[in-house]
Amino acid sequence: MVENDSVTEKKPRIRPIVRLGFFLISHSNYVSLLCFLSGIVALLLLPILANNTYISENALMPGSANSMLSTQHVSHANKFINDLTHSDIESHKTVAQYMSALDAEVTYHKFYPQLNQFHPLHFFTSSDSGIISKNISCSSLGINVAGIIRAPRGDGKEAIVLVTPYNPKKVGPGEALSLGIAYSVFSLLSRVTWLAKDVIWLVADSQYGEYSAVSAWLREYQAPVFHEAEIVNSETCNDSIAISELGQNPYSDRNSYGGFRRAGTMAAALVIKVDEQGNHHEDSLNIYPEASNGQMPNLDLINIVNYLGVHKTGFRIKVKKMFSLLGSRWLNTLGGIFESLGQIARSLNPQWKFGISATEYVEGAATLASSMYSQGLGVPTGSHGAFRDYQVDAITLKISPKDSPTKMIRRNDFILRGGRLIEGVIRSINNLLEKFHQSFFLYLLSSSSKYVSVGVYMIPFALLVAPLPIVAASLHADASKSTLQSTYSSEVEVSHKSWKWLNSARKVLVIHLWGAVVSLLPYFLYQIPNSTPTTNFTVWGILSAFSLIILYFILGSPIFEAAPSQPEKGEWASLKSVTISTAFIGLSLMSVINFATAEIGALLIVPICLMARPLKLDAQARSWRALLRATCNLALGFIAFPPVAYFLVKGAFEDFNGTNVGDYWNWVESLWTWNSATYLYVGIVHLPCWALCIHILFHPC
Amino acid sequence: MSTKTETPVKKKNQKKIQCFWSWVIGSVILRLIIIYFPKNLNLSSRPEVSTPLTSIRRLAEGYWLKQSSMSPYAGSMYHGSPLLLTLLGPLTVKRIEGQPDHLLCSLVFVIADVVTAMLICAAGKKLQAAYSSSLQSIGLHHLSEDSDILPSGDFAALLYLWNPFTIVACVGLSTSAIENLMVVVTLYGACARLAPLAAFGWVMATHLSLYPAILIIPVILLFGYGPDAPPRKLFRQRTNLEVDDSASGDRSCLEDELVNEKRMLNVFSWRPVVLFLFWALLWSSYVLVLCGIYVQQHSGLQEMFKSTYGFILTIQDLSPNIGVFWYFFAEVFDFFRSFFLIVFHGNILLMILPLALRLNHRPCFLAFVYIVLSSMLKSYPSVGDSALYLGLLGLFAYELKDMQFSFFLFSGYVGVSLLSPVMHNLWIWRGTGNANFYFATAIGYACLQIILVVESVSAMLNHDRMITKLTTAKLQNVKS
């Protein structure tokens, strides 16, 4: 204590780290500008900073064994395809027959397509069982067929899943081909001795969407529900379809069993699809890894496919990219600049090898943008997304043949190559001793063989949001300093200088509550029958404004006024500091849940949060700088308005054709149907922060 | 003291009290609403809310074991007190048709919360009255008026009731609501100088969760010296001066004040302390006898101590929680375990004596600091513990008005309490994170609590310094 007293008497001795903090806070304008710009530069540098992928798990050993898939299997598969496309009996029976002919255990899984539901908090609650609506007729019943090969060397505790979605009503040539590839691999696997994990081949009924079929099967597999209503329902339907068909089945003696069959926990899942259109330069393989909320499968799974595709079977591996960016001039110029910079660096020191060619940069940037966009949407890019909800790593492999599947000459060759790839991948996964855990879960792909890991892509984000706490601290310090002076002049008044922010915090809290109300409103709007997206959107907007007004009145009422406070001089500053802190908390939180959303959201919301300043002050200042700032503020405020931001982002990432406010409603609807956390982010973080920034802009200071 | 300033103060107090009751009712209604949506939230299984000691599911399991005439402690499921089993056990079994499960239990917790808030409020009023009279007796009249403006008791009670942590702990059916009630009963009893009540609260709180045992020091100080007051040397200076004054001048007008100061100065009154200790002995033997009867058929009190206090002290359950122990003891080698157990528990004991010496003139604040420390360093912390100390923080609203970093702390608490479930989700449900993710938030939470305790103590000491400065200035004025 003696020491403390002496400190107050003398000039306070400050530790370097505190001094650094003071320095940052006092120069917050420059620091935030610097951080923000360097954040954008770092974001643009990401394609250069991408690393080459490598197989991290030793046990996988891809391509170490020779492929065992022979032309014999392929010819069987050909026969299967012909039967499937030309036979009269229902296609799922054909599939079941062929499966049980391979000594696989066959089960039918009947399911009802799930209706769109509003689960705003689904992300936090653990996987629950879907609610099955009662009034669905038996005609809308979907039937999945699952065949299970028991591993001769395994203990039945682990499984690998192959999924081939197909439409039983109309089996397309591409679907038939994908079934054929799966069948060829399946027929091989039923005879091999090295299999240590059970193999499940799920032929998913995709007439109501492949995702719902796969997720229904997975739900039954992982978390069965025992509803009485459901049993009754399925029994009534059983009479018409299932029982009769099982009775007719000649193979039903041993392997067909009415109940649901399971194998062990799933190690990995592959969804196999074949593109219906041909006309590609060469056979290529598209990988779709993104599951819901930007979750990715373990990078090792993509690595195996990439390795085997490139080195063993000669497919060209592709990852989705944004074609609109490929032609963009500014990106090409930027690529050129980076290339020349890299060359200069190399001429200075040959050890520095960070330059990549301009075309490579543009390709990488387009892929990265696509990867970020589909992660940020939080909507899975295929039926593999259903597996990720149960912590199973899964990807969709979409094989695009050179010629169209209908007039394919080298069909056998195509099946052989596809089958060998799948066989290799399964053999690698079969070697796995534990779950996939070695490689990354959090990454962005910049090509099929390059990735940006979490440690790298967090840097631009951290730089983008770093100004927020600094500016908040400086505003907070200024606000408390100004009140300090005012309260010392009148000593009678109780000085709560340290707690002045409470008033602003209350306002911010109320606005965030409003955000929560707005994001819950669609639940009620969804009940209105026969409404177009445009009217829905309009009603939503009106109701939101209405609720804002109601909350404003509650806020203004004397109950909420803890202390009678006249509008003070520095009030907007403290309000802004609280707003910025909540934006910072929200963005950091979102970066943990779904990085890509947070990154895109930070690009949109951070500038307005940093710039916001009452227009009245700028108007009073009457200088060019103030005027410029006011215009910037207005423009940024307009950009950050969620529907405008949506159209901008969509225009930047997708083709921009026609603007219709109904689009926004459709987009929002798709977000909540897929339980995307992006929806919550927009409603509870982005919208309130934007509203508060606008409030600050028009603040009567 | 002018009458002009007095009237608005009174009005404000009355207005505040009107609002107070509506706020209390509002908080009860909010709790009831959330209780009716338990399925979506599933709060009672969150690691932040229910620890092995406070989980209602474990309690129901213990009750079931007891009903099927087994020891409630069999199978390492239940680790609470047998008295809680008799109180809450029958309620866990009872189901009302069409109502959510555990409705009766939740009602008990809601009542416990409200009673806690009322006791905090009453204790706050007692503290405030004592504090303003002691400020007046050292001649700082304007400060005592200032301290009257903010009804800190009401404020603290509302802070406790509306704290999201309290609500979550209450709706999540964590028995920490009852532990908190017992701690607050102790403090209230000590403030109101009711030795039997304080002793009962202390014995029960210690019995339920062991850590409140350290509150015996602040309680003894409360009984010995009376509630929080400015540093004692100020009174001594003041009396010396006044004795000088009165020797020369008239003594009648100062007599009242002098008597009052004598009471303040009465160095340490042993009588209530001995009374408290006697009652504590009585209550603890009573509790032990009751527990003994309850666990009589099954290996007796020894097993009870082993699986309650032993479980707390040896940290057998390493399931993740918001504390820092589980991670460390999951990593530590077995042969170092007992050493580190002693080190970690010693942390709390280490800080007891210095704090007691420094803050002995403010026993209630000392109790607050002890509660923060123990809820930071306890083996199975939950948000219910933070709810208690954040509520008690409101009692010192006047003294801590100049606390630094309050905004930072607030944002930190908001951030950590949102981040913690997300990290848990990432680790347990999505599988993309790992234990380090969750532990990072636990470390952040511990750091926030450290900052809170450091800042509040330093704000309190600054407040004391300010008072000292003012009185010495006044004394010098009088002398010169």
Side-chain angles (χ1 to χ4, degrees):
Chain A
M1 289 313 112
V2 177
E3 196 187 330
N4 243 341
D5 282 330
S6 64
V7 165
T8 46
E9 278 161 25
K10 284 181 213 161
K11 198 176 173 354
R13 191 160 42 99
I14 307 168
R15 266 170 279 161
I17 189 154
V18 180
R19 209 181 298 163
L20 183 71
F22 278 130
F23 178 80
L24 285 180
I25 288 170
S26 56
H27 297 83
S28 63
N29 282 342
Y30 300 106
V31 172
S32 54
L33 190 70
L34 192 74
C35 279
F36 190 76
L37 289 181
S38 50
I40 290 175
V41 170
L43 185 65
L44 290 172
L45 277 174
L46 280 187
I48 296 175
L49 298 173
N51 290 331
N52 286 324
T53 53
Y54 57 94
I55 287 165
S56 179
E57 172 75 85
N58 281 328
L60 287 172
M61 297 190 291
S64 58
N66 283 328
S67 183
M68 292 167 75
L69 196 77
S70 63
T71 46
Q72 192 194 349
H73 297 115
V74 174
S75 59
H76 281 310
N78 244 329
K79 185 163 164 284
F80 170 66
I81 292 173
N82 286 333
D83 269 9
L84 201 67
T85 43
H86 300 299
S87 71
D88 301 330
I89 54 168
E90 283 173 76
S91 47
H92 61 259
K93 281 184 208 158
T94 323
V95 174
Q97 275 175 18
Y98 270 86
M99 275 181 186
S100 41
L102 293 172
D103 288 342
E105 297 170 10
V106 185
T107 48
Y108 294 104
H109 168 243
K110 291 170 271 303
F111 67 96
Y112 297 102
Q114 279 214 309
L115 297 174
N116 290 348
Q117 279 159 24
F118 184 77
H119 283 306
L121 273 177
H122 187 89
F123 167 74
F124 278 113
T125 53
S126 51
S127 57
D128 62 350
S129 51
I131 304 121
I132 293 154
S133 48
K134 302 245 161 58
N135 50 2
I136 290 180
S137 64
C138 290
S139 60
S140 65
L141 199 70
I143 298 175
N144 292 329
V145 187
I148 301 172
I149 297 174
R150 301 287 172 192
R153 303 239 168 142
D155 50 3
K157 284 183 182 155
E158 286 178 302
I160 304 168
V161 187
L162 280 178
V163 182
T164 47
Y166 87 117
N167 188 351
K169 295 269 152 63
K170 194 177 106 8
V171 182
E175 282 171 350
L177 210 52
S178 70
L179 280 167
I181 291 173
Y183 178 77
S184 65
V185 177
F186 201 64
S187 62
L188 167 75
L189 294 178
S190 64
R191 299 284 176 265
V192 292
T193 50
W194 46 258
L195 206 60
K197 293 179 167 65
D198 298 349
V199 175
I200 307 173
W201 177 22
L202 174 69
V203 181
D205 184 350
S206 70
Q207 53 182 324
Y208 306 109
E210 50 190 85
Y211 185 91
S212 67
V214 175
S215 73
W217 180 77
L218 268 173
R219 208 169 31 245
E220 183 67 29
Y221 192 97
Q222 305 273 14
V225 274
F226 304 102
H227 282 309
E228 274 182 42
E230 191 197 4
I231 292 164
V232 170
N233 226 338
S234 59
E235 269 171 8
T236 51
C237 292
N238 269 348
D239 287 339
S240 57
I241 312 168
I243 288 175
S244 56
E245 141 215 323
L246 280 176
Q248 285 168 10
N249 195 339
Y251 300 96
S252 67
D253 49 347
R254 190 168 59 89
N255 286 334
S256 261
Y257 150 71
F260 191 85
R261 279 179 193 275
R262 288 182 181 78
T265 55
M266 300 173 192
L270 302 170
V271 181
I272 303 159
K273 293 169 81 174
V274 175
D275 209 351
E276 299 280 343
Q277 270 88 42
N279 310 328
H280 296 279
H281 300 297
E282 57 198 316
D283 290 351
S284 62
L285 182 77
N286 283 291
I287 299 178
Y288 295 91
E290 288 92 0
S292 62
N293 281 319
Q295 301 178 75
M296 300 289 273
N298 198 296
L299 190 55
D300 265 345
L301 187 60
I302 296 175
N303 290 346
I304 309 167
V305 175
N306 186 43
Y307 181 87
L308 289 171
V310 172
H311 296 287
K312 291 281 167 180
T313 45
F315 277 110
R316 186 186 166 83
I317 310 286
K318 284 184 185 167
V319 187
K320 206 168 131 195
K321 62 181 91 155
M322 270 171 188
F323 291 100
S324 58
L325 279 182
L326 283 181
S328 74
R329 198 172 296 154
W330 65 273
L331 202 62
N332 280 305
T333 330
L334 204 64
I337 292 170
F338 283 137
E339 187 183 356
S340 48
L341 277 179
Q343 274 163 2
I344 292 167
R346 207 171 303 136
S347 67
L348 290 175
N349 185 350
Q351 300 275 304
W352 294 343
K353 282 184 217 152
F354 60 79
I356 56 172
S357 71
T359 48
E360 209 178 329
Y361 174 80
V362 172
E363 291 251 328
T367 319
L368 206 62
S370 156
S371 182
M372 202 180 259
Y373 181 62
S374 36
Q375 283 192 27
L377 269 186
V379 176
T381 47
S383 47
H384 59 270
F387 285 93
R388 189 62 236 177
D389 294 344
Y390 299 95
Q391 291 195 23
V392 180
D393 296 297
I395 48 173
T396 293
L397 305 174
K398 192 171 189 181
I399 307 173
S400 304
K402 199 168 161 187
D403 320 305
S404 172
T406 41
K407 44 188 182 227
M408 189 184 279
I409 315 145
R410 306 172 297 107
R411 190 159 83 175
N412 283 359
D413 181 42
F414 182 75
I415 293 177
L416 191 67
R417 283 171 70 197
R420 282 194 170 155
L421 176 70
I422 307 294
E423 184 211 340
V425 175
I426 286 182
R427 189 149 192 182
S428 271
I429 298 169
N430 186 52
N431 291 342
L432 211 57
L433 300 173
E434 303 170 61
K435 276 181 65 172
F436 277 110
H437 67 280
Q438 281 274 357
S439 197
F440 294 92
F441 283 104
L442 306 169
Y443 56 90
L444 295 165
L445 285 176
S446 78
S447 86
S448 62
S449 61
K450 281 194 160 189
Y451 73 100
V452 182
S453 82
V454 56
V456 177
Y457 71 55
M458 270 312 213
I459 294 170
F461 177 75
L463 284 171
L464 276 183
V465 297
L468 292 178
I470 293 173
V471 170
S474 91
L475 281 171
H476 186 69
D478 287 353
S480 49
K481 215 175 276 169
S482 70
T483 52
L484 189 81
Q485 284 155 2
S486 69
T487 47
Y488 270 145
S489 58
S490 59
E491 216 176 282
V492 183
E493 193 189 323
V494 186
S495 67
H496 292 287
K497 60 178 194 257
S498 163
W499 298 92
K500 267 280 181 298
W501 53 269
L502 271 177
N503 237 355
S504 320
R506 201 192 64 217
K507 261 185 196 169
V508 172
L509 179 74
V510 169
I511 296 291
H512 279 265
L513 271 181
W514 169 69
V517 168
V518 169
S519 27
L520 284 176
L521 278 178
Y523 176 69
F524 302 105
L525 290 180
Y526 206 53
Q527 318 283 345
I528 305 171
N530 306 329
S531 51
T532 62
T534 317
T535 52
N536 269 337
F537 177 74
T538 327
V539 172
W540 192 21
I542 291 168
L543 279 180
S544 310
F546 188 63
S547 54
L548 183 61
I549 290 167
I550 291 175
L551 275 176
Y552 184 80
F553 277 120
I554 295 173
L555 182 74
S557 74
I559 304 170
F560 269 82
E561 290 295 319
S565 61
Q566 48 273 27
E568 282 172 49
K569 220 177 113 201
E571 207 240 341
W572 70 269
S574 97
L575 186 65
K576 185 178 167 184
S577 95
V578 179
T579 308
I580 289 180
S581 335
T582 51
F584 176 67
I585 292 173
L587 283 172
S588 326
L589 208 62
M590 199 59 210
S591 75
V592 177
I593 298 171
N594 187 347
F595 167 77
T597 312
E599 176 77 55
I600 298 170
L603 283 175
L604 289 168
I605 197 76
V606 169
I608 178 73
C609 274
L610 291 178
M611 296 272 287
R613 192 183 150 83
L615 291 173
K616 209 169 162 190
L617 285 185
D618 282 340
Q620 279 163 0
R622 290 186 183 284
S623 68
W624 278 110
R625 223 179 120 200
L627 210 63
L628 190 70
R629 185 164 52 200
T631 16
C632 270
N633 269 331
L634 281 176
L636 286 173
F638 179 68
I639 287 172
F641 182 49
V644 178
Y646 159 71
F647 285 116
L648 278 176
V649 170
K650 201 184 166 204
F653 285 117
E654 283 174 11
D655 296 330
F656 198 74
N657 38 7
T659 53
N660 179 11
V661 282
D663 283 355
Y664 183 68
W665 174 264
N666 287 335
W667 176 69
V668 166
E669 202 175 46
S670 79
L671 284 189
W672 82 63
T673 352
W674 294 105
N675 304 319
S676 172
T678 309
Y679 178 70
L680 285 184
Y681 166 77
V682 172
I684 298 181
V685 180
H686 188 102
L687 181 70
C689 284
W690 171 81
L692 284 164
C693 285
I694 296 295
H695 177 68
I696 291 166
L697 281 188
F698 296 100
H699 195 274
C701 43
Chain B
M1 244 205 272
S2 61
T3 46
K4 272 179 201 169
T5 48
E6 230 176 79
T7 40
V9 168
K10 252 184 194 167
K11 248 183 205 166
K12 205 179 246 175
N13 274 351
Q14 279 166 359
K15 185 185 155 198
K16 192 81 187 182
I17 284 163
Q18 271 179 16
C19 293
F20 175 73
W21 283 108
S22 60
W23 279 111
V24 170
I25 292 165
S27 75
V28 172
I29 291 171
L30 180 70
R31 280 171 168 75
L32 291 180
I33 290 173
I34 302 176
I35 284 166
Y36 271 85
F37 296 105
K39 285 245 171 74
N40 293 327
L41 297 168
N42 212 3
L43 281 172
S44 56
S45 61
R46 306 249 14 130
E48 292 90 357
V49 177
S50 65
T51 63
L53 293 176
T54 62
S55 156
I56 192 87
R57 284 156 76 199
R58 286 176 181 257
L59 192 141
E61 178 84 12
Y63 182 69
W64 187 84
L65 285 173
K66 175 71 189 162
Q67 288 307 97
S68 43
S69 63
M70 274 184 270
S71 164
Y73 299 108
S76 185
M77 194 64 184
Y78 184 59
H79 299 285
S81 143
L83 299 181
L84 272 185
L85 275 186
T86 48
L87 176 72
L88 292 172
L91 300 180
T92 56
V93 191
K94 218 164 260 170
R95 298 256 191 287
I96 302 169
E97 200 60 40
Q99 306 288 331
D101 303 349
H102 299 317
L103 179 70
L104 292 171
C105 279
S106 4
L107 288 180
V108 168
F109 293 133
V110 171
I111 292 166
D113 266 4
V114 173
V115 172
T116 311
M118 293 302 105
L119 287 177
I120 289 178
C121 179
K125 282 195 180 118
K126 289 230 176 332
L127 278 180
Q128 197 171 15
Y131 194 64
S132 73
S133 77
S134 61
L135 275 179
Q136 274 183 19
S137 68
I138 55 168
L140 298 171
H141 298 289
H142 67 279
L143 276 185
S144 92
E145 280 162 31
D146 276 2
S147 72
D148 274 346
I149 286 177
L150 192 77
S152 56
D154 294 359
F155 180 63
L158 288 185
L159 196 63
Y160 182 77
L161 276 180
W162 280 94
N163 188 346
F165 286 167
T166 323
I167 296 175
V168 162
C170 170
V171 175
L173 298 167
S174 148
T175 54
S176 56
I178 292 175
E179 290 166 15
N180 290 350
L181 174 65
M182 288 307 150
V183 172
V184 172
V185 162
T186 316
L187 289 183
Y188 172 74
C191 285
R193 309 188 75 77
L194 300 168
L197 188 68
F200 172 73
W202 181 74
V203 167
M204 280 308 292
T206 309
H207 172 64
L208 289 178
S209 61
L210 182 64
Y211 288 95
I214 55 173
L215 288 182
I216 193 165
I217 294 170
V219 168
I220 286 177
L221 287 174
L222 263 172
F223 275 114
Y225 287 124
D228 293 21
R232 230 161 275 124
K233 67 177 182 198
L234 297 179
F235 294 107
R236 221 165 292 139
Q237 287 170 355
R238 179 87 181 159
T239 7
N240 290 342
L241 187 79
E242 267 155 17
V243 166
D244 292 352
D245 274 6
S246 52
S248 58
D250 60 327
R251 52 193 310 155
S252 58
C253 67
L254 286 169
E255 206 153 11
D256 270 4
E257 256 178 65
L258 263 178
V259 171
N260 196 16
E261 277 151 28
K262 278 271 161 59
R263 188 182 66 76
M264 297 277 177
L265 269 179
N266 256 348
V267 188
F268 192 86
S269 43
W270 281 102
R271 224 183 126 261
V273 175
V274 172
L275 201 64
F276 166 75
L277 290 177
F278 167 72
W279 273 103
L281 203 68
L282 207 67
W283 280 118
S284 49
S285 51
Y286 180 58
V287 165
L288 281 182
V289 167
L290 280 185
C291 291
I293 293 170
Y294 194 80
V295 291
Q296 195 180 19
Q297 291 120 2
H298 334 278
S299 61
L301 281 177
Q302 198 191 349
E303 195 200 355
M304 186 195 90
F305 279 122
K306 212 172 169 183
S307 55
T308 51
Y309 291 174
F311 183 75
I312 292 172
L313 290 176
T314 55
I315 315 178
Q316 287 157 8
D317 192 316
L318 298 178
S319 58
N321 56 39
I322 52 175
V324 284
F325 281 19
W326 60 273
Y327 190 84
F328 188 80
F329 283 99
E331 306 279 322
V332 85
F333 288 119
D334 254 356
F335 41 89
F336 286 133
R337 199 180 156 89
S338 35
F339 169 70
F340 279 111
L341 280 176
I342 293 167
V343 169
F344 271 56
H345 289 299
N347 261 335
I348 299 181
L349 300 178
L350 205 68
M351 277 179 272
I352 286 178
L353 196 63
L355 280 169
L357 287 178
R358 188 68 187 82
L359 290 169
N360 64 356
H361 57 286
R362 291 185 182 278
C364 263
F365 186 69
L366 182 66
F368 160 76
V369 174
Y370 281 176
I371 291 169
V372 182
L373 284 179
S374 66
S375 67
M376 180 168 62
L377 294 172
K378 79 198 294 190
S379 39
Y380 309 102
S382 72
V383 290
D385 303 316
S386 339
L388 178 65
Y389 69 70
L390 288 177
L392 290 180
L393 187 66
L395 285 180
F396 312 102
Y398 171 68
E399 289 91 338
L400 299 182
K401 66 177 191 294
D402 293 337
M403 201 171 113
Q404 277 185 313
F405 302 127
S406 55
F407 180 53
F408 169 75
L409 281 170
F410 176 76
S411 321
Y413 267 93
V414 171
V416 165
S417 53
L418 291 175
L419 202 58
S420 165
V422 170
M423 290 298 198
H424 190 259
N425 180 289
L426 223 61
W427 172 28
I428 300 293
W429 291 109
R430 289 217 214 163
T432 49
N434 51 38
N436 301 333
F437 284 49
Y438 189 65
F439 184 61
T441 62
I443 287 186
Y445 183 64
C447 287
L448 280 176
Q449 295 181 83
I450 290 169
I451 295 172
L452 175 76
V453 81
V454 167
E455 284 306 319
S456 58
V457 169
S458 71
M460 190 55 98
L461 294 180
N462 279 335
H463 182 76
D464 277 353
R465 247 169 247 145
M466 193 261 290
I467 289 177
T468 316
K469 218 179 261 172
L470 284 177
T471 40
T472 45
K474 215 160 207 174
L475 285 177
Q476 269 157 8
N477 279 346
V478 169
K479 270 179 186 169
S480 60

